[in-house]
Amino acid sequence: MAGKRHRGWRTFLTNKYLKDKEKNFVEYDPEYPVKYAIFITEEEWVAFVAQRRDENFKKVSATNRERASNPTYAYKKGRLGYARLEEKILDETKSDATSLPPHVLWKEARVGKDGTVRDDVQHIYDECETLSQSISTAEDQENRSVLSRALNVPEYPGRVRGKGHGCTPTSLYKNPRRRNPSNQEVMETLQALQAQVLQLQKDNERYRCMEKCSSQLKETSEKASINCQNKFPEGISSCQLYLSSPTYRLVGKGKVHNTSGDLLHHRPLPDGHLKVSVDVVLDKDALLPIPDIVSETTFLRDAIGSFVAWPLDLIFIDDETPTKPASKDKGISRHNESVASQKEVFAQGSQHLSQKIGSRQKNKRDLPVTSLPKKGAFVPRYQISLETLVDSSDMATAGAIRLLDMEEDIFGYSCTETIGKEDLEHIFRHQELGVGVIHTYIRFLYDNFMRGNDQLSNRFRFVSSSLVNKALICREPDSCREYLVKRFMASSTNNLYLWPYNSGCHWLLLAIDPLKEVVYFLNSIDGEWTNYPDMKQLVDTSIKVFRSQRQARVPRTKSSNITWIKVQCPLQRNGIDCGYFVMRFMREIINMNQIEIPITYFDEYKCAHYTRLQLEQIKEELCQYFIEKRLII
């Protein structure tokens, strides 16, 4: 209808401004219609005049005008239209049908006021009746209708003859007309087929590896030592993991377990392989050398925190892996040091420790001075005690775990956190931390700071890293968004939601104020939030949905602008400490009891880098919490 009115308006402009009273085109340039300046620019008017004066246009216009002035089968119903005519006939006949065949409606539209039907019209109608008996509806739809066959005229695309303006094959027939696929659809189909072929190739390689693995398995006993390789230190060592196909490259980091008679998922290891626990993935598309049959894991990224078999020639012990000191001194043992800490000189005495913590007003929640010796270097008393407890308990064996209940108030749902031997070793050896350790420290913060303190518990809340992380955001974005929105809806007052986010190989902290629509970004490697587009999109979308559900009114200038603030927090000096930094960030934010985080960070804790002593304080709190909760005994 809009197109029809637009064509009529263009005809009106032509007759009024381009033609004289005798309907002939004027020779002079017509004046610009200032009255319609809001619709037509001067450039468009010049183009319109030139198009209407074109000889080809005049020829086509004259042909159409002549044909319309003397139609072969004249329409006799004036302004009634096909749609109202069809409705009128159905009402008069009291028929249960919802529509009339096109040729029946076409005939009725050409019946005069006296009720007579011209012979040529009746002839077309009779021919349509004959054709309708021999042509099926599907054939009628796929090719030309019986009416167009009887009239022997071409069928215009997207139109049904004898049904009036606006009726299309899609709206008339239950099944739409088949059409040729577009170039975009062809390319999408081609890409889908290529993806299927690639997946089949990967599956084929996986099954060949599984068969090779099965053929290499050999029987062993508890006293056998076939898995213990001389070129690797006996026991557990940090290592780098390489692959040789399709290119030789570093794909991840972990720990190699070189132990006599070691098994992988209760099965002997293949010849030439050792058991490896995966901690960090550097190549997200890397395939496992031997797929994990038990968990049906094919990609390295899905094996984080679990054990896999890795070829000996592709395992390299980390050059900076600490070893036990030969001499027994009172200093911190080397296996508790990070790469950065090996280059640091520890402060002497408790006075220097209190200065480095940077607290102008001593917080009563800080570690007591009695936990530090009056003279000499710092001694990790609780770490040593916890390590002794682990060695004397069943946690000393691989696969042993402990369960820690997480109350509903912590993450918005009740759950159980699993702590394994590997998690404790990460603390003792100062290695990359997993989600279990981070969540345990959150439980420590809740028990020691927020429980029983209505002001803190009503001001600070936590987001579970198990329900919202890099892998789940890519695989199940809707469930991640629903959890965040539900978490934001849990309170009507201003809350700061602390979310330790794992990007796959790095921890950072987001502090979200959903009511003010402000997101504080704390990254210990000085990266930007634009480096994590999936995470940012999830947070922005969740805040907008939260805004909609609480029916908040936001100025139009800010409707799509959520404030992101990069906090100039302390930075790490190696690739290990990110998890420890995130835990200390959360502790200091709760200590300060402020919803707003300064861009230059809190003055009480402002520094370029955390010292080893400041990170050891976090580890001591964790170990003390394990001991007090009697999680190991």
Side-chain angles (χ1 to χ4, degrees):
M1 183 60 71
K4 187 175 181 180
R5 290 183 177 275
H6 182 251
R7 289 192 297 273
W9 184 56
R10 291 167 66 92
T11 301
F12 162 76
L13 293 176
T14 302
N15 293 334
K16 182 174 178 61
Y17 293 95
L18 305 184
K19 294 183 179 181
D20 54 19
K21 295 181 180 180
E22 287 75 23
K23 301 299 180 182
N24 297 319
F25 281 91
V26 297
E27 299 295 335
Y28 56 86
D29 292 335
E31 61 178 343
Y32 172 66
V34 182
K35 180 179 179 180
Y36 304 109
I38 190 175
F39 303 115
I40 310 173
T41 64
E42 294 186 7
E43 293 78 7
E44 292 173 339
W45 174 252
V46 172
F48 173 75
V49 173
Q51 185 257 350
R52 291 285 163 155
R53 286 179 169 179
D54 184 73
E55 293 298 329
N56 291 330
F57 176 83
K58 293 180 180 181
K59 182 178 180 180
V60 173
S61 178
T63 302
N64 291 337
R65 189 181 306 108
E66 181 181 0
R67 183 179 60 195
S69 64
N70 186 25
T72 305
Y73 307 100
Y75 183 83
K76 300 288 187 179
K77 298 303 178 182
R79 298 174 61 87
L80 185 60
Y82 278 100
R84 287 194 291 268
L85 174 61
E86 184 177 39
E87 183 179 353
K88 178 181 177 181
I89 295 174
L90 293 174
D91 289 341
E92 290 177 352
T93 58
K94 297 181 180 181
S95 173
D96 295 333
T98 58
S99 63
L100 296 174
H103 65 279
V104 174
L105 192 59
W106 180 85
K107 173 190 173 183
E108 293 296 330
R110 283 151 182 81
V111 176
K113 294 183 178 180
D114 56 357
T116 59
V117 181
R118 287 171 42 183
D119 292 339
D120 53 351
V121 173
Q122 185 64 42
H123 174 73
I124 296 297
Y125 173 79
D126 294 338
E127 188 173 351
C128 289
E129 285 289 315
T130 303
L131 289 173
S132 62
Q133 301 299 323
S134 58
I135 298 178
S136 63
T137 304
E139 186 179 0
D140 181 17
Q141 175 186 351
E142 294 297 331
N143 300 288
R144 294 189 301 165
S145 66
V146 294
L147 181 58
S148 63
R149 292 169 184 268
L151 292 173
N152 195 23
V153 293
E155 194 73 272
Y156 291 94
R159 164 188 167 182
V160 179
R161 187 176 294 277
K163 276 294 186 178
H165 180 74
C167 183
T168 63
T170 303
S171 61
L172 177 64
Y173 300 104
K174 293 182 179 180
N175 298 321
R177 286 181 180 268
R178 290 185 298 184
R179 61 181 179 83
N180 294 329
S182 63
N183 291 338
Q184 181 179 359
E185 292 173 339
V186 171
M187 292 302 299
E188 290 175 354
T189 303
L190 180 60
Q191 292 175 359
L193 291 175
Q194 291 175 342
Q196 292 179 9
V197 171
L198 180 61
Q199 185 62 42
L200 289 174
Q201 292 175 345
K202 291 181 179 179
D203 291 342
N204 185 33
E205 182 178 356
R206 171 187 173 189
Y207 290 131
R208 286 192 291 104
C209 291
M210 290 170 62
E211 292 177 358
K212 179 181 178 181
C213 173
S214 299
S215 63
Q216 292 176 341
L217 292 178
K218 294 184 178 180
E219 296 182 356
T220 185
S221 63
E222 295 181 356
K223 296 182 179 180
S225 60
I226 60 172
N227 303 122
C228 189
Q229 302 296 329
N230 294 330
K231 77 171 188 175
F232 293 103
E234 186 174 357
I236 302 175
S237 307
S238 296
C239 65
Q240 297 178 352
L241 305 176
Y242 283 76
L243 285 179
S244 58
S245 177
T247 58
Y248 193 86
R249 67 200 188 281
L250 175 65
V251 296
K253 296 182 179 181
K255 288 179 287 296
V256 57
H257 296 249
N258 188 29
T259 309
S260 299
D262 205 355
L263 303 177
L264 178 63
H265 303 310
H266 307 289
R267 294 186 177 186
L269 284 164
D271 284 342
H273 291 72
L274 280 178
K275 185 168 74 172
V276 169
S277 59
V278 182
D279 296 330
V280 179
V281 174
L282 304 178
D283 184 351
K284 64 179 181 179
D285 296 324
L287 295 172
L288 291 174
I290 298 181
D292 191 338
I293 304 175
V294 176
S295 61
E296 298 184 354
T297 302
T298 305
F299 289 94
L300 180 62
R301 63 172 180 264
D302 298 326
I304 294 179
S306 61
F307 294 99
V308 296
W310 207 272
L312 292 172
D313 57 341
L314 297 178
I315 302 175
F316 293 88
I317 298 298
D318 197 333
D319 293 336
E320 294 182 301
T321 299
T323 58
K324 291 186 177 181
S327 61
K328 296 182 179 179
D329 57 2
K330 295 183 180 181
I332 183 172
S333 59
R334 294 288 293 171
H335 72 277
N336 281 323
E337 295 189 59
S338 66
V339 176
S341 66
Q342 296 172 18
K343 301 178 182 179
E344 294 180 3
V345 178
F346 271 29
Q348 303 292 321
S350 59
Q351 180 179 1
H352 189 66
L353 171 65
S354 61
Q355 293 174 355
K356 283 297 181 179
I357 290 179
S359 177
R360 297 178 181 177
Q361 297 178 349
K362 185 65 177 178
N363 192 296
K364 61 182 180 180
R365 292 287 188 180
D366 285 341
L367 282 175
V369 178
T370 54
S371 66
L372 300 175
K374 294 183 179 180
K375 293 183 180 181
F378 168 62
V379 176
R381 180 160 61 91
Y382 288 108
Q383 295 179 54
I384 295 174
S385 300
L386 181 61
E387 191 169 6
T388 302
L389 287 174
V390 171
D391 291 338
S392 61
S393 68
D394 64 324
M395 288 291 287
T397 61
I401 62 172
R402 291 293 186 270
L403 302 179
L404 178 64
D405 293 332
M406 307 294 287
E407 303 175 18
E408 184 177 356
D409 290 340
I410 300 177
F411 293 131
Y413 69 101
S414 58
C415 60
T416 302
E417 194 62 53
T418 302
I419 306 297
K421 177 187 177 183
E422 294 79 8
D423 294 314
L424 298 176
E425 288 179 347
H426 292 167
I427 301 174
F428 301 149
R429 297 174 179 271
H430 199 92
Q431 296 172 343
E432 296 93 340
L433 299 179
V435 65
V437 176
I438 301 294
H439 280 186
T440 301
Y441 192 76
I442 288 177
R443 173 66 189 271
F444 160 79
L445 294 175
Y446 180 80
D447 286 344
N448 290 272
F449 289 80
M450 302 168 62
R451 188 186 297 278
N453 189 329
D454 293 338
Q455 184 183 23
L456 289 178
S457 60
N458 291 331
R459 179 167 289 185
F460 299 101
R461 297 176 184 270
F462 300 99
V463 174
S464 172
S465 301
S466 298
L467 292 189
V468 191
N469 52 53
K470 171 67 175 180
L472 288 177
I473 291 175
C474 297
R475 188 167 64 246
E476 302 176 11
D478 293 339
S479 63
C480 294
R481 183 182 63 253
E482 291 175 3
Y483 168 69
L484 282 181
V485 174
K486 182 179 179 181
R487 198 78 183 102
F488 295 159
M489 294 292 292
S491 177
S492 58
T493 59
N494 275 96
N495 294 117
L496 195 64
Y497 288 83
L498 303 179
W499 173 21
Y501 174 71
N502 193 313
S503 64
C505 56
H506 175 64
W507 286 101
L508 56 87
L509 181 68
L510 296 180
I512 307 173
D513 187 343
L515 282 179
K516 292 184 179 180
E517 300 187 353
V518 175
V519 182
Y520 298 97
F521 181 78
L522 291 85
N523 191 353
S524 58
I525 59 173
D526 197 27
E528 302 292 337
W529 60 72
T530 52
N531 297 333
Y532 311 93
D534 297 332
M535 174 269 291
K536 183 180 185 303
Q537 182 180 5
L538 173 68
V539 174
D540 290 346
T541 304
S542 301
I543 292 178
K544 291 177 183 178
V545 174
F546 169 68
R547 177 201 304 164
S548 175
Q549 291 191 5
R550 66 187 179 91
Q551 298 179 351
R553 295 183 178 180
V554 180
R556 183 177 299 177
T557 56
K558 193 186 175 185
S559 60
S560 60
N561 183 23
I562 295 170
T563 304
W564 283 71
I565 298 176
K566 180 183 178 181
V567 180
Q568 299 174 17
C569 55
L571 302 179
Q572 65 188 78
R573 291 178 285 188
N574 57 33
I576 297 175
D577 290 340
C578 56
Y580 304 97
F581 272 63
V582 165
M583 291 190 293
R584 188 162 184 97
F585 290 157
M586 292 190 292
R587 185 188 196 279
E588 292 172 348
I589 291 172
I590 295 176
N591 272 340
M592 294 308 300
N593 194 14
Q594 296 182 19
I595 293 293
E596 297 182 1
I597 303 176
I599 296 180
T600 57
Y601 204 54
F602 303 110
D603 291 336
E604 289 78 356
Y605 298 107
K606 186 180 297 183
C607 59
H609 313 281
Y610 285 140
T611 65
R612 178 60 187 273
L613 288 173
Q614 289 173 293
L615 300 185
E616 286 296 330
Q617 180 187 19
I618 301 300
K619 294 168 61 176
E620 281 287 90
E621 289 177 331
L622 258 175
C623 295
Q624 182 179 0
Y625 184 71
F626 275 108
I627 295 173
E628 292 178 348
K629 298 295 287 185
R630 303 179 67 85
L631 292 175
I632 305 302
I633 300 176

